[in-house]
Amino acid sequence: MNLKELSQILGLSQTTVSRALNGYPEVGEATRRRVQEAAAAHHYRPSTRAKGLATGRAMAIGHVIPVSTRHEIVNPVFADFIAGAGETYAAKGYDMILSVVDDDREARTYRDIAAKRNVDGILVHGPELNDPRIALLTELGLPFVVHGRASGVALPYSWLDVNNTRAFRRATDFLLDLGHRRIALVNGLEEMDFAARRRRGYEAALLARGVAPDPALMRSSEMTENYGHEAAAEMLRLPDPPTAFLTASMISALGVRRAIEDAGLKMGRDVSIVTHDDDLGYLRNGDGADPIFTATRSSVREAGRLAAAMLLELVADPDRTPRSRLMEATLVVGQSTGPAPQQAQAALSQRR
Amino acid sequence: MNLKELSQILGLSQTTVSRALNGYPEVGEATRRRVQEAAAAHHYRPSTRAKGLATGRAMAIGHVIPVSTRHEIVNPVFADFIAGAGETYAAKGYDMILSVVDDDREARTYRDIAAKRNVDGILVHGPELNDPRIALLTELGLPFVVHGRASGVALPYSWLDVNNTRAFRRATDFLLDLGHRRIALVNGLEEMDFAARRRRGYEAALLARGVAPDPALMRSSEMTENYGHEAAAEMLRLPDPPTAFLTASMISALGVRRAIEDAGLKMGRDVSIVTHDDDLGYLRNGDGADPIFTATRSSVREAGRLAAAMLLELVADPDRTPRSRLMEATLVVGQSTGPAPQQAQAALSQRR
DNA sequence: CATCACTGCCAAAGCGCTTTGGATATCCGC
DNA sequence: GCGGATATCCAAAGCGCTTTGGCAGTGATG
């Protein structure tokens, strides 16, 4: 069923039918109703391709998911982010086009996307330090919003990010307040901007209390369970092991917990963990009241919704000056943190 | 840069340029080279929309991701499946269009997709028992491949699935061989076809050994860490608790492990776990040689690659009779399983 | 009563590509 | 030197929509 057929059935011109369906005022109310009913009855939906050709708008947004060739890992937060973004797109009638692409062929991919003209805008995932994609997309003139930021990029651009520095500074402060001094950082890949910011927050908090950051307590890699386990296990074997861990994701926190238990220690009593929690649907941090992990929490799904909305605004008015939005993470206290061991003993003896 | 401009630059007709780029024989070799070079130099890529209009092919595949309104959960295996499918699409020049949709509005979504004609085929995720989508898509005449199967649907259709029944039957046999008799099943939602099949495999294995399936040892819900924890914790409090768990995913297995440890027991010694392992990038089951969990393993990413390839074949030749492919899961033995406790003692006393 | 401003509709052009149906030039064998 | 392949190229139609520019008909205005 296409416009032509529908208009013949109705005995109207294509013009009138098109206008009736798109809400233009030049068509009588009675006619409009008649057209709408016929369209519904025949399951008519205009062809996206033809509509796009005629209007110059693709009614689609591109998401480019970088997959590192070395690691073959898809960041599991994408699923939730995309679910959030998808809600926004669906509500506004946009499609979402996904490109999964090796990170070494990204530049070419973006060029192709721009040339093929099948999206009106792009959502950029996983920005790195000095990420070249921002300059490239600016040059290509394609509206885009970055999920995260790229330190070192001077150009203005739109982004939506979590205040990672502040979140990790607060988390570190929280552990310092509990008496911890040997605090380990199990970070994400430090090429990634978010990881760099988290580290800065962590270091700033330590320095503010006169604790020198110890390189032996800082690790950086993909955020997998195995890596969390390996990093924590190694650090726990140090002569002067950490009494607390700061981890970049729930998944790596699970690995850290496993290492703690392997060492015969108890999380929350012998060793504390604070993790960042993206509030993923399938990996909720406890049910409401009493979270398992003390965590800096920020919903990545909500981030998806908001980032998508920002991008659609930008698409509607490309000359708009870049917008940005900084989401604050909530520090939720769970069962994974407690006073530093010595501290705990001191408190115990005081009470006696 | 569009075809018209490019052909003017070259002093050729649009016809010739189009044919040169699409590999038609009616164009001289020298001309072809000249055209190809100019196209590359000017970063020319034909507009997908226009090409689609002219050819009637969208060069895109739709993936509809159901999100249950009740649970707000995106199955984390989608990320890896889609990464796999994306590889296949990229290699063949196809785009992937993602629709995230409430499962109560699915029928309408599929109708819309068909009417909008912006995909050449659909990959169906998360089939349920008697899934109505198969009949709907067949009626709509849109090529599709189901990731999984739908028991109870009589129509022929193309699918790619893991042999879930066999995998869980083998896993159960493995536990029975180790002397376990109280084996719990922490399953996914039983509306889902894969969960129903796994249960059947589990029950068949028990019955074959004369062990009556105990409803108190069977749970079914979303595959989250919390749910695994809750289900296992409750079952471990039974007067006659299970000595082994069979879980539907690594994530729920992590929850089960937590419950085991909460109860002061040790996984692999006091209580065994066998889980299904989708071989997700960010949640590898140990590094190679010595897996953490004993598991039935099958790469969902590989499934994505293969399912996408099947779908593209179907799109190329829609009259082709439906194909199917059953992938076998490998049973890998890790540290999470051991002889049933009484059995272990018997073995110990024998050795003395 | 002629004029004017709407109202409600339509024919046709155009979006950027592919493809049909030639047209022209070249080359072959006889 | 001529009919017929063969090799190259082109003009124009068409894909399904939106949108421009009109054109009747209607009621109000002077």
Side-chain angles (χ1 to χ4, degrees):
Chain A
M1 175 61 52
N2 59 24
L3 225 212
K4 193 171 176 182
E5 288 169 34
L6 187 64
S7 57
Q8 278 167 357
I9 290 176
L10 284 161
L12 289 168
S13 74
Q14 296 189 36
T15 311
T16 303
V17 176
S18 170
R19 295 198 141 142
L21 293 174
N22 289 314
Y24 283 79
E26 304 94 328
V27 54
E29 258 329 300
T31 315
R32 161 157 307 153
R33 241 191 310 280
R34 203 160 67 86
V35 170
Q36 281 168 342
E37 278 160 18
H42 294 85
H43 289 125
Y44 171 75
R45 301 281 327 249
S47 146
T48 327
R49 297 199 283 272
K51 189 165 186 160
L53 236 204
T55 57
R57 330 187 68 227
M59 294 305 282
I61 298 295
H63 283 237
V64 181
I65 310 289
V67 173
S68 75
T69 336
R70 299 169 307 238
H71 305 276
E72 277 248 329
I73 283 177
V74 188
N75 190 329
V77 309
F78 286 144
D80 266 58
F81 184 90
I82 278 173
E87 288 175 31
T88 302
Y89 298 144
K92 304 276 186 177
Y94 275 75
D95 284 328
M96 169 162 53
I97 297 195
L98 224 69
S99 310
V100 182
V101 77
D102 289 351
D103 49 9
D104 53 341
R105 274 193 301 155
E106 283 210 69
R108 185 159 160 58
T109 304
Y110 285 98
R111 281 219 134 79
D112 278 3
I113 289 176
K116 282 162 65 181
R117 281 150 291 171
N118 55 351
V119 300
D120 296 322
I122 288 195
L123 223 149
V124 176
H125 290 273
E128 303 190 357
L129 296 168
N130 304 305
D131 202 304
R133 291 178 291 174
I134 291 167
L136 176 60
L137 285 168
T138 307
E139 176 203 327
L140 292 172
L142 209 54
F144 68 97
V145 166
V146 181
H147 178 211
R149 275 172 285 178
S151 306
V153 172
L155 276 68
Y157 61 93
S158 292
W159 52 264
L160 175 138
D161 200 2
V162 172
N163 196 338
N164 282 298
T165 311
R166 187 154 194 273
F168 269 51
R169 170 150 196 170
R170 286 182 66 199
T172 310
D173 275 338
F174 178 79
L175 288 169
L176 287 165
D177 288 345
L178 285 170
H180 296 274
R181 289 300 175 268
R182 298 286 292 164
I183 302 173
L185 177 67
V186 179
N187 209 354
L189 286 169
E190 292 220 1
E191 304 93 276
M192 307 302 288
D193 187 76
F194 78 90
R197 285 178 195 273
R198 288 178 182 178
R199 189 229 272 254
R200 274 183 247 155
Y202 157 82
E203 290 178 339
L206 291 181
L207 289 169
R209 300 277 185 113
V211 180
D214 180 353
L217 296 186
M218 294 190 256
R219 297 299 180 92
S220 151
S221 180
E222 293 280 8
M223 301 178 289
T224 65
E225 205 263 0
N226 281 334
Y227 153 65
H229 177 259
E230 186 186 311
E234 284 180 28
M235 291 197 256
L236 286 172
R237 284 196 293 268
L238 289 175
D240 190 8
T243 63
F245 286 89
L246 217 49
T247 74
S249 83
M250 290 277 292
I251 309 247
S252 24
L254 292 171
V256 172
R257 182 175 69 188
R258 183 158 62 92
I260 291 173
E261 283 160 358
D262 283 356
L265 302 169
K266 186 154 165 40
M267 174 179 84
R269 189 193 63 193
D270 306 314
V271 183
S272 292
I273 301 182
V274 180
T275 184
H276 185 73
D277 173 11
D278 293 296
D279 208 16
L280 304 181
Y282 59 93
L283 201 61
R284 282 273 147 71
N285 184 9
D287 289 315
D290 195 14
I292 297 157
F293 291 104
T294 297
T296 55
R297 175 183 294 169
S298 177
S299 164
V300 75
R301 184 160 184 159
E302 178 67 11
R305 273 190 281 261
L306 294 174
M310 278 179 65
L311 182 49
L312 291 186
E313 281 177 26
L314 205 63
V315 164
D317 176 13
D319 298 327
R320 168 192 289 266
T321 65
R323 304 270 159 148
S324 60
R325 166 107 185 231
L326 195 55
M327 298 172 74
E328 291 297 338
T330 321
L331 182 61
V332 297
V333 179
Q335 310 161 30
S336 68
T337 44
Q342 321 87 300
Q343 206 82 356
Q345 289 185 343
L348 215 65
S349 53
Q350 266 195 345
R351 219 177 289 156
R352 279 192 195 128
Chain B
M1 174 62 52
N2 57 24
L3 225 212
K4 195 171 174 183
E5 287 169 35
L6 187 65
S7 58
Q8 277 166 357
I9 289 175
L10 284 161
L12 289 168
S13 73
Q14 297 189 35
T15 310
T16 304
V17 176
S18 170
R19 294 196 143 144
L21 294 174
N22 290 314
Y24 283 78
E26 304 93 329
V27 55
E29 257 331 298
T31 314
R32 163 157 308 158
R33 240 192 310 281
R34 203 161 65 87
V35 170
Q36 280 167 343
E37 277 160 18
H42 294 87
H43 289 127
Y44 169 75
R45 302 281 327 250
S47 147
T48 326
R49 296 198 284 272
K51 190 166 184 157
L53 236 205
T55 57
R57 328 188 69 228
M59 293 305 282
I61 298 296
H63 282 237
V64 181
I65 310 288
V67 172
S68 74
T69 336
R70 300 168 307 234
H71 303 278
E72 278 248 326
I73 283 177
V74 188
N75 191 330
V77 309
F78 286 144
D80 267 58
F81 185 89
I82 278 173
E87 287 175 33
T88 302
Y89 298 145
K92 304 277 186 175
Y94 275 75
D95 284 328
M96 169 163 52
I97 296 193
L98 224 68
S99 308
V100 182
V101 77
D102 289 350
D103 48 9
D104 52 343
R105 275 193 302 155
E106 282 209 72
R108 184 157 161 57
T109 303
Y110 285 98
R111 282 220 134 79
D112 279 2
I113 288 176
K116 282 162 64 182
R117 282 150 290 172
N118 56 350
V119 300
D120 296 322
I122 288 195
L123 222 149
V124 176
H125 290 273
E128 304 190 355
L129 296 168
N130 303 306
D131 202 304
R133 292 177 291 175
I134 290 167
L136 176 60
L137 285 167
T138 307
E139 175 204 329
L140 292 173
L142 209 53
F144 68 97
V145 166
V146 181
H147 178 212
R149 275 173 285 178
S151 306
V153 173
L155 277 68
Y157 61 93
S158 291
W159 52 263
L160 175 138
D161 199 2
V162 173
N163 196 339
N164 282 298
T165 311
R166 188 154 194 272
F168 269 52
R169 171 150 194 171
R170 284 182 67 199
T172 309
D173 275 338
F174 178 80
L175 288 169
L176 287 164
D177 287 345
L178 284 170
H180 295 274
R181 289 300 175 269
R182 298 287 291 164
I183 302 173
L185 176 66
V186 178
N187 208 354
L189 285 169
E190 293 221 0
E191 303 95 278
M192 307 302 289
D193 187 75
F194 78 90
R197 283 178 196 274
R198 287 178 183 178
R199 188 227 273 255
R200 273 182 249 155
Y202 158 83
E203 289 177 340
L206 290 181
L207 289 170
R209 300 278 186 112
V211 179
D214 180 353
L217 295 187
M218 295 189 252
R219 297 298 181 93
S220 151
S221 179
E222 293 279 6
M223 301 179 289
T224 65
E225 206 264 359
N226 281 333
Y227 153 67
H229 177 259
E230 186 186 312
E234 284 180 27
M235 291 196 257
L236 286 172
R237 283 197 293 269
L238 290 173
D240 190 7
T243 62
F245 287 88
L246 217 49
T247 75
S249 83
M250 289 279 292
I251 309 246
S252 26
L254 292 171
V256 171
R257 183 176 70 189
R258 183 158 61 91
I260 290 172
E261 282 159 359
D262 284 356
L265 302 168
K266 188 153 163 38
M267 175 179 84
R269 189 193 62 196
D270 306 314
V271 183
S272 293
I273 301 183
V274 180
T275 184
H276 185 72
D277 173 11
D278 293 296
D279 209 15
L280 305 180
Y282 58 94
L283 200 63
R284 282 271 147 71
N285 184 9
D287 290 314
D290 194 15
I292 297 158
F293 291 105
T294 297
T296 54
R297 175 183 293 171
S298 177
S299 164
V300 76
R301 184 161 183 158
E302 178 67 11
R305 271 190 283 261
L306 295 174
M310 278 179 65
L311 183 48
L312 291 187
E313 281 177 28
L314 206 61
V315 164
D317 177 12
D319 299 326
R320 167 193 290 265
T321 65
R323 304 271 160 147
S324 59
R325 167 107 184 232
L326 194 55
M327 298 171 74
E328 291 297 339
T330 322
L331 182 61
V332 297
V333 179
Q335 310 162 29
S336 67
T337 44
Q342 322 88 298
Q343 205 83 354
Q345 289 184 341
L348 215 64
S349 53
Q350 267 194 346
R351 218 176 290 155
R352 281 192 193 127

